[in-house]
């Protein structure tokens, strides 16, 4: 058992350069969120803000949380979470989008 | 009924092993700071039994109030609080942790040939969170209670009631983390801690069922937590996500709530189905028919479970098109559930069946769960649902699944593994009687409610038209029988702790790895790490083992 464990604890070492790059990318995207909030885009304002937030979250998950360098099992686990979230959103929207259609 | 597979050691010479997980350390702190999955399971067993009897007492009050058509035992708003707390306690503090946190906690590592769960401290933390949440819920109950029903439906919960919604919501929020930690621990353990030779398709089906339930706990519970936090924020600072006046939508709460709470019924029932696999196989001396199909049906239930939630909302104002889609998707869940029931029936076919108590409870499960499941199809069909929803038909349906199914499975498992957990047998005759009393009491209590529902008696009211009284008296009378059925195990199981017969390692001649070690087990479970060199439920392997033992001693 212990031998197996040691094998799995081999961590990929991420260089400081990547951390710094991601850090600045996150700063730039934060500035973009603030800037976008001053532009009048109507319904697209929240969409743009959410899109930027999603990009930031993906960067954090991939690099800061090491998912990019993890095993396939970890990636599958993250994928399962995203899949479940998409089911929640899409099937809930299936109700909202069709409510105004009336009776079938 | 005279035939039995029970094989006990010679009672005049047999002793409980001096060193075991119960005797290894002494004192209160050795329990409160333990990392041993078996001790944590015992802690959980005591705490969930405590909450079960509080929930049961509340159920008794409900049935007493409904004995007469008028609301005379308690005021109507008290009645609302009583049924709300009954639901909250039974679901979040009994059914969700019942089998996983007690039997699962105790036996998953042993079935896999591991020393403990992967994260022992997280396991202990989950128990503390459970106790903290339970105390908070009890505090909320004592200081005025909550009357929203266990569903916290908006806008009732956010705008209209003035009871302890926030405290109870936070209690369930905390209990949710306890459940997530248990699920996470099981997933990691099943992936990482299997003994050499224990491949995925050699695992007992009990473990497969818990794996599927754990996926639901980890992926579903956060959504409930978010939904409850939003209710709390709506009540405290009025953020408006559920308030149409501020651009919100009250139905959004139900989407979020049922996205967890529908899979939650599978969190509750899947571990119970896991227990039934082990019991049916052991007491018919046969490998579970269609092992792979049963294993994957657990996973299929878990996956489909996320696609059906809006069938709780057909009359709530969701779109007609969504009703159509969710009604069709709901029918999917019937398939894997039916696979399980049919495969258990085929396991029994030409098996050497014996009728020990766990088997009696399992038969109860098969019959009652089938009725509960099939009436679910009535409710999933949108046309009949419009007539039947919010009536006693629903109450009868989910009690058939949860009490007739899950509670029967819990009692089956508790009796089945009691000799392993304590080293002593429960008394067979009286426990068979208790199983039969439970079954009779259950049917008396809940079958009349199906009829009441089709006649149109609504749920959640303290009073009803006088023509419904006869069936309600039947139901209340049945509840008293059911109460006796649940009190008996408490009495004789406690008695058996001191006076039960010594069980020996493997009283049922079962094949699981947990039976191939002493009872009660050592803190480390096994003296050496077992090697799994045979398929699950291989009774011929067990026979060969016994021959080997005899020859090596001779």
């Amino acid at each position: 058992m212990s031998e197996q464990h040691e094998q799995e604890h081999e961590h990929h070492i991420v260089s400081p350069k990547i951390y710094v790059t991601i850090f600045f990318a996150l700063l730039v995207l934060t500035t973009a969120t603030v800037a976008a909030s001053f532009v009048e885009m109507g319904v697209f304002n929240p969409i743009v803000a959410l899109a930027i937030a999603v990009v930031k979250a993906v960067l954090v998950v991939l690099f800061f949380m090491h998912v990019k360098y993890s095993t396939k099992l970890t990636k599958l686990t993250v994928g399962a979470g995203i899949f479940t979230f998409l089911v929640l959103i899409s099937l809930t929207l299936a109700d909202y989008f069709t409510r105004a259609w009336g009776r079938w | 009924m005279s035939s039995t597979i029970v094989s006990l050691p010679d009672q005049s010479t047999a002793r409980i092993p001096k060193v075991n997980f119960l005797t290894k350390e002494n004192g209160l702190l050795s329990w409160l700071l333990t990392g041993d999955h078996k001790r944590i399971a015992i802690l959980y067993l005591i705490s969930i039994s405590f909450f079960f009897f509080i929930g049961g007492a509340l159920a008794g009050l409900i049935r007493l109030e409904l004995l007469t058509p008028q609301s005379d035992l308690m005021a109507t708003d008290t009645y609302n609080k009583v049924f709300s707390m009954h639901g909250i306690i039974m679901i979040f503090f009994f059914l969700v942790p019942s089998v996983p946190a007690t039997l699962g906690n105790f036996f998953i590592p042993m079935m896999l040939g591991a020393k403990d769960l992967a994260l022992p401290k997280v396991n202990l933390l989950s128990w503390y969170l459970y106790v903290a949440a339970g105390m908070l819920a009890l505090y909320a109950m004592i200081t005025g209670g909550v009357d929203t029903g266990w569903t916290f439906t908006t806008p009732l919960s956010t705008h209209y009631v003035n009871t302890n919604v926030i405290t109870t919501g936070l209690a369930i929020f905390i209990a949710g983390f306890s459940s997530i930690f248990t699920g996470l621990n099981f997933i990691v353990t099943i992936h990482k801690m299997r003994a050499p030779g224990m491949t995925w398709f050699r695992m007992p089906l009990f473990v497969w069922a818990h794996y599927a339930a754990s996926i639901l706990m980890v992926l579903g519970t956060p959504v409930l937590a978010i939904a409850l936090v939003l209710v709390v924020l709506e009540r405290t600072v009025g953020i408006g996500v559920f308030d149409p006046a501020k651009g919100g939508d009250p139905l959004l709460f139900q989407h979020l709530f049922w996205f967890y709470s529908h899979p939650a019924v599978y969190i509750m029932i899947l571990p119970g189905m896991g227990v039934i696999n082990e019991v049916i196989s052991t007491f018919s001396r046969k490998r579970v028919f269609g092992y792979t199909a049963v294993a994957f049906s657990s996973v299929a239930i878990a996956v489909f479970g996320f696609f059906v939630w809006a069938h709780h909302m057909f009359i709530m104002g969701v779109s007609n098109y969504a009703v159509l889609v969710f009604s069709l998707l709901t029918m999917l869940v019937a398939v894997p559930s039916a696979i399980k029931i049919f495969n258990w029936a085929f396991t029994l076919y030409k098996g050497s069946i014996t009728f020990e108590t766990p088997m009696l409870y399992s038969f109860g499960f098969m019959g009652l769960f089938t009725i509960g499941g099939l009436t679910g199809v009535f409710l999933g069909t949108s046309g009949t649902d419009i007539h039947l929803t919010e009536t006693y038909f629903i109450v009868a349906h989910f009690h058939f699944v949860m009490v007739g199914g899950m509670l029967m499975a819990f009692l089956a498992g508790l009796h089945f593994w009691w000799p392993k957990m304590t080293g002593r047998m429960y008394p067979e005759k009286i426990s068979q009687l208790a199983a039969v009393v439970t079954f009779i009491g259950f049917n008396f209590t809940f079958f009349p409610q199906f009829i009441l529902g089709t006649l149109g008696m609504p749920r959640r009211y303290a009073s009803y038209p006088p023509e419904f009284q006869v069936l309600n008296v039947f139901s209340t009378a049945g509840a008293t029988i059911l109460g006796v059925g649940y009190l008996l195990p408490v009495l004789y199981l406690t008695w058996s702790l001191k006076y039960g017969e010594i069980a020996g390692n493997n009283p049922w001649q079962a094949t699981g790895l947990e039976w191939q070690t002493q009872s009660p087990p050592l803190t480390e479970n096994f003296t050496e790490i077992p090697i799994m060199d045979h398929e699950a439920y291989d009774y011929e392997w067990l026979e060969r083992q016994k021959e080997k033992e005899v020859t090596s001693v001779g």
Side-chain angles (χ1 to χ4, degrees):
Chain A
M1 281 307 241
S2 62
E3 281 165 32
Q4 275 182 7
H5 269 266
E6 278 156 26
Q7 280 171 8
E8 281 151 12
H9 277 280
E10 279 179 39
H11 278 293
H12 186 277
I13 295 164
V14 186
S15 69
K17 202 176 138 195
I18 290 180
Y19 279 134
V20 173
T21 315
I22 299 299
F23 176 64
F24 279 105
L26 291 173
L27 282 185
V28 169
L29 287 168
T30 308
T31 322
T33 313
V34 177
S37 71
F38 288 104
V39 184
E40 190 51 59
M41 290 180 285
V43 290
F44 289 102
N45 267 18
I47 294 175
V48 169
L50 279 172
I52 297 174
V54 168
V55 174
K56 284 163 74 180
V58 169
L59 286 177
V60 170
V61 170
L62 284 183
F63 294 97
F64 286 177
M65 294 171 81
H66 294 204
V67 169
K68 189 173 190 295
Y69 315 107
S70 300
T71 55
K72 283 187 179 140
L73 183 60
T74 311
K75 284 176 183 153
L76 181 72
T77 311
V78 175
I82 293 170
F83 173 74
T84 317
F85 178 71
L86 289 178
V87 171
L88 170 64
I89 298 297
S90 56
L91 281 178
T92 304
L93 286 180
D95 168 26
Y96 284 97
F97 283 153
T98 58
R99 252 186 232 175
W101 293 3
R103 296 197 177 158
W104 36 270
Chain B
M1 284 257 222
S2 60
S3 69
T4 175
I5 53 157
V6 181
S7 115
L8 299 180
D10 180 5
Q11 293 298 313
S12 55
T13 54
R15 293 282 176 276
I16 298 267
K18 268 219 170 70
V19 180
N20 61 50
F21 79 100
L22 294 165
T23 57
K24 179 101 184 283
E25 285 176 280
N26 286 313
L28 189 62
L29 275 185
S30 77
W31 282 88
L32 293 181
L33 299 176
T34 184
D36 183 0
H37 64 105
K38 298 181 287 301
R39 285 188 165 208
I40 296 169
I42 303 280
L43 292 175
Y44 257 120
L45 182 62
I46 295 166
S47 13
I48 68 158
S49 306
F50 171 72
F51 280 103
F52 174 73
F53 280 98
I54 291 179
L58 292 168
L61 287 177
I62 295 171
R63 279 322 316 168
L64 274 182
E65 167 59 57
L66 293 176
L67 196 57
T68 55
Q70 309 80 26
S71 143
D72 38 18
L73 180 67
M74 53 188 112
T76 47
D77 57 341
T78 313
Y79 179 81
N80 292 348
K81 289 175 183 174
V82 168
F83 76 70
S84 298
M85 292 311 295
H86 165 71
I88 289 165
I89 286 179
M90 282 304 200
I91 287 168
F92 296 109
F93 298 101
F94 176 72
L95 284 167
V96 168
S98 61
V99 168
T102 57
L103 301 173
N105 222 337
F106 202 109
F107 291 106
I108 284 176
M110 297 189 68
M111 286 177 172
L112 296 176
K115 284 182 187 167
D116 204 319
L117 284 173
L119 312 162
K121 283 179 183 157
V122 172
N123 194 15
L124 184 63
L125 177 62
S126 97
W127 180 70
Y128 276 105
L129 287 175
Y130 170 83
V131 172
M135 290 302 127
L136 198 56
L138 284 185
Y139 168 79
M141 184 168 106
I142 293 163
T143 56
V146 64
D147 59 355
T148 57
W150 77 281
T151 51
F152 293 94
T153 312
T154 54
L156 178 70
S157 63
T158 50
H159 285 73
Y160 295 107
V161 297
N162 200 18
T163 49
N164 291 332
V165 177
I166 294 176
T167 325
T168 319
L170 288 176
I172 295 170
F173 182 82
I174 298 170
F177 277 92
S178 160
S179 174
I180 292 173
F181 284 151
T182 303
L184 194 65
N185 224 336
F186 287 170
I187 292 177
V188 178
T189 307
I190 294 166
H191 273 282
K192 295 288 182 188
M193 305 277 283
R194 282 173 284 132
M198 178 64 79
T199 59
W200 281 82
F201 292 100
R202 280 180 178 174
M203 295 194 309
L205 289 164
F206 181 80
V207 181
W208 270 99
H210 275 78
Y211 186 74
S214 302
I215 292 174
L216 293 174
M217 288 183 197
V218 171
L219 292 177
T221 317
V223 182
L224 173 77
I226 292 164
L228 290 172
V229 167
L230 288 174
V231 166
V232 169
L233 288 177
E234 185 90 45
R235 278 185 77 89
T236 47
V237 290
I239 53 168
V241 278
F242 303 135
D243 185 357
K246 295 177 183 168
D249 176 26
L251 261 186
L252 178 62
F253 172 80
Q254 291 193 36
H255 276 300
L256 294 174
F257 181 84
W258 288 113
F259 183 78
Y260 163 78
S261 295
H262 190 76
V265 305
Y266 303 122
I267 294 177
M268 297 176 225
I269 197 74
L270 276 168
M273 292 169 157
V275 170
I276 303 300
N277 287 315
E278 304 302 311
V279 173
I280 296 248
S281 170
T282 302
F283 295 101
S284 47
R285 317 307 297 160
K286 267 179 73 190
R287 179 179 163 84
V288 174
F289 180 87
Y291 172 98
T292 323
V294 178
F296 279 121
S297 69
S298 292
V299 181
I301 288 177
V303 174
F304 294 166
F306 277 120
F307 290 84
V308 301
W309 76 85
H311 64 216
H312 295 267
M313 304 157 61
F314 282 168
I315 60 155
M316 305 293 177
V318 292
S319 119
N320 284 315
Y321 297 87
V323 169
L324 185 67
V325 171
F326 276 102
S327 183
L328 282 171
L329 287 172
T330 300
M331 303 303 161
L332 281 179
V333 188
V335 176
S337 311
I339 287 176
K340 283 181 187 289
I341 291 285
F342 284 128
N343 283 12
W344 292 328
F346 274 107
T347 308
L348 294 170
Y349 180 64
K350 290 194 174 172
S352 310
I353 301 170
T354 53
F355 295 90
E356 280 77 13
T357 312
M359 192 62 158
L360 293 184
Y361 278 117
S362 297
F363 284 144
F365 176 99
M366 284 176 70
L368 300 177
F369 175 79
T370 304
I371 296 176
L374 284 175
T375 51
V377 178
F378 296 22
L379 294 166
T381 313
S382 61
T384 43
D385 181 72
I386 291 165
H387 176 63
L388 294 172
T389 195
E390 302 295 328
T391 69
Y392 258 84
F393 192 88
I394 292 243
V395 178
H397 155 70
F398 69 71
H399 280 90
F400 263 75
V401 179
M402 289 301 141
V403 185
M406 187 57 197
L407 199 54
M408 287 271 177
F410 175 70
L411 287 168
L414 191 63
H415 285 85
F416 182 59
W417 281 297
W418 189 256
K420 181 52 69 181
M421 293 165 85
T422 64
R424 286 183 187 275
M425 299 298 290
Y426 57 84
E428 187 67 47
K429 284 281 170 247
I430 187 166
S431 60
Q432 283 172 330
L433 177 74
V436 173
V437 168
T438 311
F439 183 79
I440 293 170
F442 177 86
N443 280 301
F444 259 111
T445 313
F446 292 106
F447 203 83
Q449 297 184 4
F450 276 129
I451 305 168
L452 283 169
T454 50
L455 293 175
M457 177 172 161
R459 63 191 287 206
R460 293 180 168 164
Y461 285 91
S463 55
Y464 53 85
E467 62 262 34
F468 294 145
Q469 189 172 12
V470 176
L471 288 166
N472 272 297
V473 170
F474 257 108
S475 186
T476 302
T480 58
I481 302 174
L482 195 56
V484 172
Y486 292 141
L487 268 179
L488 279 173
V490 178
L491 300 176
Y492 64 72
L493 287 179
T494 315
W495 174 88
S496 78
L497 287 176
K498 195 161 161 51
Y499 303 104
E501 289 178 292
I502 308 280
N505 292 1
N506 194 356
W508 309 128
Q509 306 302 306
T511 57
L513 286 181
E514 80 271 26
W515 296 104
Q516 317 307 325
T517 182
Q518 67 173 50
S519 334
L522 293 166
T523 304
E524 301 79 13
N525 294 345
F526 303 97
T527 44
E528 53 188 276
I529 294 170
I531 294 168
M532 185 73 174
D533 53 3
H534 56 280
E535 300 300 313
Y537 313 111
D538 187 345
Y539 291 92
E540 285 169 16
W541 169 83
L542 193 72
E543 289 303 312
R544 289 199 298 277
Q545 288 298 106
K546 271 195 284 184
E547 279 165 27
K548 242 190 276 175
E549 261 169 43
V550 174
T551 48
S552 62
V553 170

